Every structure is written in C-alpha cells, then in structure tokens.
Amino acid sequence: MKTNWKKYLTTGVILSASALLLAACGDSSSDKKDTASSDKGSTAKPEGDIKLWVDTEQVDMFKGIVADFEKEYPDVKVEIAAGSSADAKQDVSKDPGAAADVFMMPHDQIGQMADAGLLYPFTETKFAENVKKDNVDSAVEGATWKEELYGFPYGVESQVLYYNKAKLSEADVKTWSEMTAKGKIGTNFGDAGANYIFSPLFMSNGDVLYGKTGEDVKGTDFNNENGVEVLKWIAAQKNNPGVVQSSAEALSNLESGVTDAFLSGPWSKNDVEKALGENMAVAAYPKVDFGSGEKQMKAFLGVKLFAVNQQTKSPVAALTLADYLSNETSQMKEFEGFGIVPSNKTLQTDSKVASDAVTAAVIEMSDSEHSVVMPKLPEMNTFWPAMDALINDTYKGSIKEDQYMNKLDKLVSDISKTTE
C-alpha cells in the first residue's frame, strides 16, 4: 500500500497557507472572517523572494513576462533559472527545499509527484477558480490528481496528421482507409515508440486505460472484443500497401516522396516544412474502421503545467506567479514565442492562434472526441514496454489471431499491479 506522505509531512503547511490564500480571495462569508482578521490573514498578499525554473530555451522570453509580473507585484522578487520540464520529478525530488518555488512540468508526472508530497495543492483557492474557468476541460483534467488541482495549465500537445497536399486532398485524409488507398503513410508499428502512437486505438474503439479518469490501477479493459478488433486491425496494416513502416526514417521518406503522410506533433512542424515546403498540410487524425464502422482515431493529449513546490516558503507569491505565467496574456506570449498551443479557452478561438494550421489541428485534437488525456499513474512505467511489445509483435505477425485475447489478458494483468 502506498504511504500518503503528503498527509503526514505537509498538512500543517497546507492548512496555514490555505488560510492565507482564502483570506486573500476576498471572501466575506462568515466562516472565513476569523481567518481574514488574523495577523497573517490581514496581511495576506504576494510577497517574498521566489525561484522559477523554465526550460533553457525559454528563459529569455520568460524574463520579459516575469518583469511585467514584478511591476504588478512589487513585493515579489523572482529569480529565473534554466531547468528542464521533462525532468521536473527528478530535479525537484533531489532536494525539494533547494528546488524552485515554481517550475514547469508535464502533466503525466503529477501522480508520482503529488503522492511524494512534492506539489502544492490549491483546490480551495481563488487560483483554482481561474484554472477551471479559463482552460479547456482536458487541460483541467490533466492538472488534477485525486480530485485535487496541482497544476496551472499553459499549453496542450497532441500528435496530428501531416500530409503532402500535392498527393492527398482534405477529403482523402478524413479516413485511414481512403488515405492509404490514395497515398502512403509512413508510421511506426514495428519498432519502439509504437506504444505512444497507437495505444489510443483501444480508446478509439471504446475501451479505457486505467479507468475513465486514468487513475484506477485496475480499470483497464483492453481484454475484450473491442481490444481484439484493434489487434486485428494492427495486424492487417502489415499487408496494407498504403502503410510504410517508418521510424527514424519517417521524415526522410516524406521528403523523398516514398510516403505522403506522417503522424507526429507540433515539435515536427519545422522539419515537415523543410521536407514538404509549400505542399505541407495538417489535419486532425482520420477515422478508422476496426470492423464495426468508422471510429475517430484518438491520440494521447499532453498538458503543459506550471506547478508550485510543496516546500515553498512563500506560497501566496508562488501561486500568484504560477497563475500569472499561465494566464491569457502570458499564454499568448508563449504561443508567439515558441508555438506553444494555448490551453486557454479564449485563445483557442483567437484568429491569430487558429490561423496557424498546426495549432488549429492540435486544438481540434484536444477535445475528448479526438484525444485522451495521458494517465498520470506511476503504473504507466509498466504499461509502456508491455504495450510496445504487444503492438510490435502483433504487426509483425509473431502473435497469431487465436492468441490475441490471451495476450490482452496478460497485458491487463501486468499493468494492473500496483507500483510500490
């Protein structure tokens, strides 16, 4: 059984800081007046020296945003330093007391970090109201763990379909069958990394991974007829002339004309533009027929977050900064500076944002019809290699059709074991 270290180590800190934050919200209800009249409550405002970690390449951009923040909150001084959002769990856990007060992180690390007492929950504060009101539902889901908010969304990320519009039309890429009949897609079924691209096929066909919320260790139901249909479809792609197994060579195949389409994310935008030039086009994922009618092909959705260190000595200031860095104005600057697709509802409909083809496709993919928020459970570490092996071996024909259900039973059993 997992120990809830947060409960034992941080309860006092949370209650004390929450009192400050609730008072700062300006709530005049009688049950909060006593808090507001206390010494700390009456002076509750953002103040103190805090440290901010952002990705190395984004330091200069955030210096400008932080300068604006300090003008608005002159009692807060922010030290900004280069970090790595992908390594947030590793970097913060080394020495939480010395780590940044506010840092970037991917949403799928929330489960492990929250359970380890590394993240500051803020569900009962005004900041939670902002997060829920301003951001798309999928981003809020990504920022939530066990019904507690731990992160401030500032962007969403999903794979999309890049294609050569000189070879394929908008109509051609609406369905997998039409696309692979009219052209060739280069994608990876047979090598490591197929798990990230094609695991969501099971959710496309009605199954769930770790339950509907992605937080139930025993909630995966891939071992059913829907799951068998998915494996049959994967196996059939080996003999589909419109599918070219492509891993490291996917971009070179696109550039040389060996293939006409490619599944990847906004991180590949510049490379695809180089490969296809003016013929580059982008779309949301196509529909797929697993044998019982067309279903929307889904992708995993990632949510980019700012989080607050549980051990911050200035929680009001840290939460205020995280809120500011993820507000509408800051998200627009992050979009303009680095093409980060906003999670803010208003910005997702902004003409400047939506005019970018890749961004528009990611925004379309960010709804629940097109994507599933990647689960935040630590058990995902077990899921990835097991799913890679299943997809690779099914595609290569190493697993026969009469073995599909047994293999799915084993997969579900293996990934349902609680990580200690």
Side-chain angles (χ1 to χ4, degrees):
M1 183 177 72
K2 293 181 182 177
T3 302
N4 189 344
W5 294 110
K6 179 181 71 178
K7 175 180 178 182
Y8 295 105
L9 299 178
T10 63
T11 302
V13 177
I14 293 172
L15 290 175
S16 175
S18 293
L20 294 179
L21 292 166
L22 287 168
C25 292
D27 194 319
S28 60
S29 61
S30 59
D31 61 339
K32 292 172 185 161
K33 284 182 180 178
D34 289 341
T35 301
S37 63
S38 69
D39 289 341
K40 290 184 178 179
S42 63
T43 60
K45 63 179 180 179
E47 58 184 4
D49 297 336
I50 55 179
K51 186 187 303 181
L52 168 67
W53 283 348
V54 298
D55 286 332
T56 303
E57 66 276 12
Q58 298 181 22
V59 169
D60 287 342
M61 177 190 69
F62 276 103
K63 283 180 179 177
I65 297 175
V66 165
D68 291 338
F69 171 81
E70 289 179 330
K71 288 177 184 176
E72 187 168 341
Y73 299 96
D75 293 323
V76 182
K77 300 303 176 187
V78 182
E79 175 192 343
I80 185 169
S84 170
S85 57
D87 298 321
K89 177 180 177 292
Q90 174 184 317
D91 293 342
V92 174
S93 62
K94 283 178 184 176
D95 186 353
D101 300 89
V102 180
F103 50 87
M104 289 176 158
M105 65 174 290
H107 87 274
D108 59 317
Q109 294 182 17
I110 275 189
Q112 296 177 72
M113 293 186 73
D115 283 351
L118 299 173
L119 302 179
Y120 198 102
F122 58 95
T123 306
E124 300 300 325
T125 72
K126 64 178 181 180
F127 303 107
E129 297 172 11
N130 294 343
V131 167
K132 294 174 182 178
K133 171 175 60 73
D134 296 340
N135 295 281
V136 296
D137 290 345
S138 56
V140 177
E141 180 183 342
T144 304
W145 174 250
K146 296 179 180 177
E147 300 184 352
E148 289 276 6
L149 267 171
Y150 286 97
F152 293 79
Y154 68 94
V156 291
E157 197 166 71
S158 169
Q159 293 216 150
V160 295
L161 174 70
Y162 292 99
Y163 66 98
N164 186 336
K165 64 183 181 182
K167 301 287 188 65
L168 294 165
S169 69
E170 285 186 36
D172 293 336
V173 300
K174 293 294 185 184
T175 67
W176 185 276
S177 58
E178 189 72 8
M179 177 175 63
T180 56
K182 298 288 185 63
K184 296 181 184 296
I185 183 170
T187 192
N188 176 27
F189 285 102
D191 294 329
N195 48 16
Y196 178 72
I197 305 170
F198 292 112
S199 299
L201 289 175
F202 291 90
M203 286 74 91
S204 305
N205 205 31
D207 289 342
V208 293
L209 175 60
Y210 294 125
K212 292 183 178 180
T213 64
E215 296 185 9
D216 181 358
V217 175
K218 298 187 181 300
T220 304
D221 64 353
F222 290 7
N223 53 336
N224 54 25
E225 287 305 318
N226 291 341
V228 170
E229 282 187 350
V230 170
L231 292 185
K232 288 180 180 178
W233 184 88
I234 290 172
Q237 302 315 302
K238 185 74 164 61
N239 298 315
N240 184 341
V243 173
V244 177
Q245 167 58 29
S246 304
S247 186
E249 69 279 13
L251 278 166
S252 61
N253 283 344
L254 194 65
E255 184 173 15
S256 64
V258 172
T259 59
D260 312 307
F262 169 53
L263 298 174
S264 190
W267 53 86
S268 293
K269 176 183 176 181
N270 292 339
D271 291 329
V272 178
E273 282 183 331
K274 181 179 178 181
L276 296 179
E278 62 182 15
N279 287 323
M280 185 186 89
V282 194
Y285 270 16
K287 291 187 176 180
V288 177
D289 189 347
F290 298 107
S292 54
E294 298 284 0
K295 308 283 179 66
Q296 178 59 55
M297 183 178 178
K298 293 187 176 185
F300 277 128
L301 183 76
V303 183
K304 295 175 178 289
L305 304 172
F306 280 101
V308 172
N309 188 336
Q310 178 61 68
Q311 293 195 26
T312 180
K313 293 180 175 61
S314 303
V316 177
L319 287 163
T320 302
L321 176 61
D323 183 65
Y324 189 92
L325 296 174
S326 57
N327 68 19
E328 182 179 332
T329 300
S330 295
Q331 284 195 35
M332 176 58 89
K333 292 177 180 177
E334 291 150 15
F335 166 72
E336 292 172 339
F338 286 89
I340 296 169
V341 180
S343 58
N344 181 277
K345 293 176 183 176
T346 301
L347 289 184
Q348 285 203 352
T349 61
D350 183 274
S351 58
K352 184 174 183 179
V353 172
S355 65
D356 179 85
V358 175
T359 300
V362 172
I363 289 173
E364 185 175 356
M365 289 295 293
S366 69
D367 66 33
S368 59
E369 181 184 355
H370 290 82
S371 63
V372 57
V373 178
M374 188 182 294
K376 294 151 281 191
L377 282 168
E379 285 74 17
M380 284 294 286
N381 291 328
T382 302
F383 169 80
W384 293 121
M387 180 52 70
D388 241 354
L390 181 61
I391 293 173
N392 294 169
D393 291 344
T394 298
Y395 175 75
K396 294 173 182 176
S398 302
I399 303 174
K400 305 305 177 186
E401 190 172 318
D402 60 3
Q403 300 175 296
Y404 288 168
M405 189 62 81
N406 286 339
K407 291 293 184 180
L408 289 169
D409 284 339
K410 186 176 189 308
L411 172 81
V412 170
S413 175
D414 288 346
I415 69 173
S416 300
K417 296 172 183 175
T418 302
T419 300
E420 296 296 339

